[in-house]
Amino acid sequence: MSVKKALISVSDKTGLIPFARRLVAAGVQIISTGGTASLLKAEGVPVIGISEVTGFPEILDGRVKTLHPNIHSGLLAVRDSEAHVQQLKDLGIETIDLVVVNLYPFKETIAKPDVTYEDAIENIDIGGPTMLRSAAKNHAFVSVVVDAADYEKVAEEIEANGDTTLETRRKLAAKVFRHTAAYDALISRYLSEQVGELLPESYTVTYEKAQDLRYGENPHQRAAFYREPLSDQLSIGNASQLQGKELSYNNINDADAALAIVREFAEPAVVAIKHSNPCGVGIGTDIRAAYQKAYEADPVSIFGGIVAANRPIDRDTALAMKEIFLEIIIAPDFTEEALAVLAEKKNLRLLRIPALNEPAKKVDNLFRVAPVAGGALIQDFDYKQLEESEIQVVTDRKPSEEELAQLKFAWKVVKHVKSNAILLAKDNMTIGVGAGQMNRVGAAKIAIEQAGALASGAVMASDAFFPMGDTVEAAAKAGITAIIQPGGSIRDQESIDACNRAGIAMIFTGTRHFKH
């Protein structure tokens, strides 16, 4: 076997001319279409027009040109089948040994803010995926290239042996089906969104590899980082890394958690994360003050943590951050002076996400996918904010203005703590976090113990209702003065009565924030 004839039709012309010239020099005839054929001819590369092969003109503004038996028979014929070979001979059809195709830029088209539905539809490729699938199916005999990164290897093998190896063809075919699956997934997602089918009968997503990772959560696990093809700029996948080592699996996971919390706040805020849970959150008049509160919230756990700020990092804040070991600092920007200070810590990663000072907004077509054995759970991200109209004071005493401000602060944070979650706050900072416990009073005891003497006069937030009054009793003993929780337990009155006996103000929100 040898490659004698190639069909080339590409939207992305990167590297095409040198590759085509190498094919011609190796004795390969080139069939081409439309703009690709025009470019090749202009560059002096001999080309056979597609209409010469099909005996039919390109029609319907180029929508139909390769969808023809003379093309697909030449691609799909099994070369060691006497019947197939004879049929081609009887019909005067020649085999095609190499297909080089990349597709209409559908992703790039729908990424445009002003894209119209008509433009999107026009950029759905039909002939390209069909040729790719035909060639990939018959990869025992046909080489198929969808990625310009593979031009060099294919050219080298043809120059050396007259054909590609079966191993190479298998790899190329697998890449084709990954490519067309991703292409179709984007089309499916776009059209489903247009008609409001956000959780349809089948759910297909695609991601693009951003980087291979050294390992996953643990050294014995393989891992890679993939980003959504159309993700917004407020994500780790779209951050600019200014310095430091390559991000790890746990770095990325924790950094994502930090972003989710810091975007809850419009005022200057700093979040410190450890193992996906906040160990310190603070807000202040400026980012330096906010960082100091986040640090003081838990000066032990912040060590080796990840910090996110929603304002640019200045020199004073950088000097304070430099005093401890941090894995990552995320911010909308860093001043030149701050960069000079932090550059002294070579392994510290700095990530810049310019619009990080913008509070999070609900995105209707964005879902969290959690794989489980044999399937996946899919749900909206938890963008729910507390509305004033939802606040229900259920105790005899109403919270003071300061208590209410602290309750609202605590509520923004506790929704991001692993359930069962209890969080204590005071003076615009977290002072105790009880995360991921099997019972709620256990989470409360952890948060209260962490807060120590600071618990007196603090407020408490719970991500879900109190199943009984024991959590309130623990809060009262610690000196907690106000509580925010969803309510909804059949034993709510027990908790309300316990608050009234202790003089604690309690409000219900009517919204639960479980996080598993």
Side-chain angles (χ1 to χ4, degrees):
M1 290 175 56
S2 63
V3 176
K4 297 176 181 177
K5 193 163 291 187
L7 195 161
I8 302 178
S9 180
V10 293
S11 294
D12 180 3
K13 309 297 194 294
T14 303
L16 174 63
I17 300 305
F19 178 59
R21 285 178 174 150
R22 291 176 73 176
L23 293 178
V24 171
V28 179
Q29 289 184 310
I30 294 177
I31 304 166
S32 193
T33 67
T36 305
S38 297
L39 176 62
L40 290 170
K41 289 176 183 177
E43 294 292 332
V45 179
V47 173
I48 301 169
I50 196 74
S51 295
E52 295 178 51
V53 178
T54 63
F56 203 86
E58 298 184 26
I59 61 171
L60 305 180
D61 299 320
R63 282 191 169 198
V64 178
K65 46 184 178 273
T66 61
L67 297 170
H68 193 280
N70 286 3
I71 300 299
H72 289 277
S73 299
L75 293 174
L76 286 165
V78 177
R79 309 301 166 81
D80 56 7
S81 166
E82 292 184 7
H84 283 201
V85 172
Q86 187 61 48
Q87 285 179 17
L88 292 187
K89 184 177 180 181
D90 293 344
L91 295 169
I93 297 173
E94 296 183 357
T95 57
I96 299 171
D97 312 301
L98 170 64
V99 169
V100 181
V101 168
N102 53 56
L103 307 177
Y104 293 172
F106 182 79
K107 180 184 77 172
E108 292 77 9
T109 299
I110 63 173
K112 296 175 183 176
D114 58 347
V115 63
T116 65
Y117 185 79
E118 291 72 24
D119 284 342
I121 296 302
E122 200 58 36
N123 277 278
I124 296 176
D125 202 329
I126 302 300
T130 307
M131 284 189 292
L132 288 172
R133 290 173 63 87
S134 291
K137 175 176 179 175
N138 205 26
H139 65 267
F141 309 101
V142 180
S143 302
V144 56
V145 181
V146 74
D147 184 353
D150 294 314
Y151 287 172
E152 180 64 27
K153 182 174 183 60
V154 170
E156 285 180 353
E157 290 190 7
I158 292 173
E159 288 166 343
N161 307 306
D163 198 359
T164 57
T165 65
L166 179 58
E167 180 184 6
T168 295
R169 292 196 296 276
R170 285 176 172 170
K171 289 180 178 179
L172 293 172
K175 179 179 280 193
V176 161
F177 284 111
R178 293 195 300 271
H179 184 78
T180 57
Y183 192 79
D184 285 342
L186 284 175
I187 296 169
S188 166
R189 171 178 166 177
Y190 175 81
L191 293 179
S192 296
E193 289 170 1
Q194 296 302 305
V195 297
E197 292 281 359
L198 299 183
L199 288 170
E201 72 287 344
S202 61
Y203 189 82
T204 306
V205 294
T206 185
Y207 300 98
E208 299 171 347
K209 184 183 280 189
Q211 67 184 84
D212 287 305
L213 302 174
R214 286 177 296 159
Y215 52 81
E217 281 185 285
N218 301 291
H220 60 274
Q221 293 173 276
R222 293 175 297 172
F225 178 37
Y226 290 79
R227 65 166 63 96
E228 281 198 59
L230 299 171
S231 65
D232 65 19
Q233 295 302 306
L234 297 178
S235 68
I236 298 302
N238 290 314
S240 300
Q241 184 166 348
L242 306 183
Q243 76 167 47
K245 298 185 296 184
E246 189 176 75
L247 297 174
S248 71
Y249 180 100
N250 292 328
N251 289 159
I252 294 167
N253 198 43
D254 287 349
D256 181 66
L259 286 186
I261 301 176
V262 82
R263 293 188 66 201
E264 292 280 349
F265 299 98
E267 54 270 81
V270 171
V271 174
I273 290 287
K274 204 71 172 290
H275 301 296
S276 294
N277 280 306
C279 58
V281 181
I283 58 175
T285 54
D286 56 36
I287 207 64
R288 175 67 182 86
Y291 171 72
Q292 190 62 31
K293 288 180 179 293
Y295 170 77
E296 291 176 356
D298 189 344
V300 175
S301 297
I302 195 175
F303 185 86
I306 289 173
V307 168
N310 65 357
R311 295 291 191 278
I313 302 299
D314 56 24
R315 181 177 181 274
D316 287 345
T317 308
L319 285 169
M321 290 176 166
K322 180 190 168 189
E323 292 303 308
I324 62 170
F325 167 54
L326 296 173
E327 289 274 6
I328 301 174
I329 300 172
I330 309 165
D333 209 349
F334 299 80
T335 66
E336 291 299 322
E337 295 81 3
L339 288 174
V341 169
L342 297 172
E344 296 177 25
K345 309 201 84 170
K346 302 299 183 184
N347 291 330
L348 172 63
R349 292 98 158 169
L350 302 183
L351 300 182
R352 179 168 58 200
I353 304 178
L356 192 51
N357 58 338
E358 299 176 6
K361 297 178 182 178
K362 180 173 172 54
V363 181
D364 288 332
N365 62 355
L366 189 61
F367 295 92
R368 181 177 292 279
V369 180
V372 296
L377 296 169
I378 301 172
Q379 66 172 348
D380 281 319
F381 282 81
D382 188 358
Y383 290 110
K384 182 72 171 67
Q385 300 290 323
L386 179 63
E387 304 290 341
E388 292 292 334
S389 60
E390 297 170 334
I391 295 175
Q392 180 186 5
V393 179
V394 295
T395 50
D396 295 339
R397 186 174 79 80
K398 294 182 179 180
S400 68
E401 285 189 19
E402 175 59 20
E403 285 173 330
L404 185 58
Q406 297 307 307
L407 289 169
K408 289 177 179 179
F409 166 80
W411 190 245
K412 288 181 178 180
V413 181
V414 76
K415 74 187 255 191
H416 298 280
V417 179
K418 295 291 180 69
S419 301
N420 284 318
I422 294 290
L423 184 137
L424 306 187
K426 190 177 187 179
D427 298 330
N428 293 324
M429 60 187 277
T430 58
I431 59 171
V433 181
Q437 297 306 299
M438 288 65 72
N439 62 73
R440 198 154 296 278
V441 70
K445 288 177 179 177
I446 291 172
I448 290 168
E449 182 180 353
Q450 182 188 356
L454 289 176
S456 180
V459 305
M460 172 183 284
S462 173
D463 67 327
F465 64 62
F466 299 148
M468 54 192 70
D470 51 4
T471 302
V472 174
E473 292 168 5
K477 289 180 182 178
I480 302 296
T481 64
I483 295 173
I484 184 170
Q485 58 131 323
S489 168
I490 60 174
R491 299 175 70 171
D492 273 345
Q493 194 60 48
E494 184 179 322
S495 295
I496 293 170
D497 292 343
C499 282
N500 285 332
R501 287 194 299 271
I504 295 174
M506 184 162 66
I507 63 177
F508 285 177
T509 66
T511 300
R512 186 184 74 190
H513 285 298
F514 271 161
K515 187 173 189 290
H516 290 95

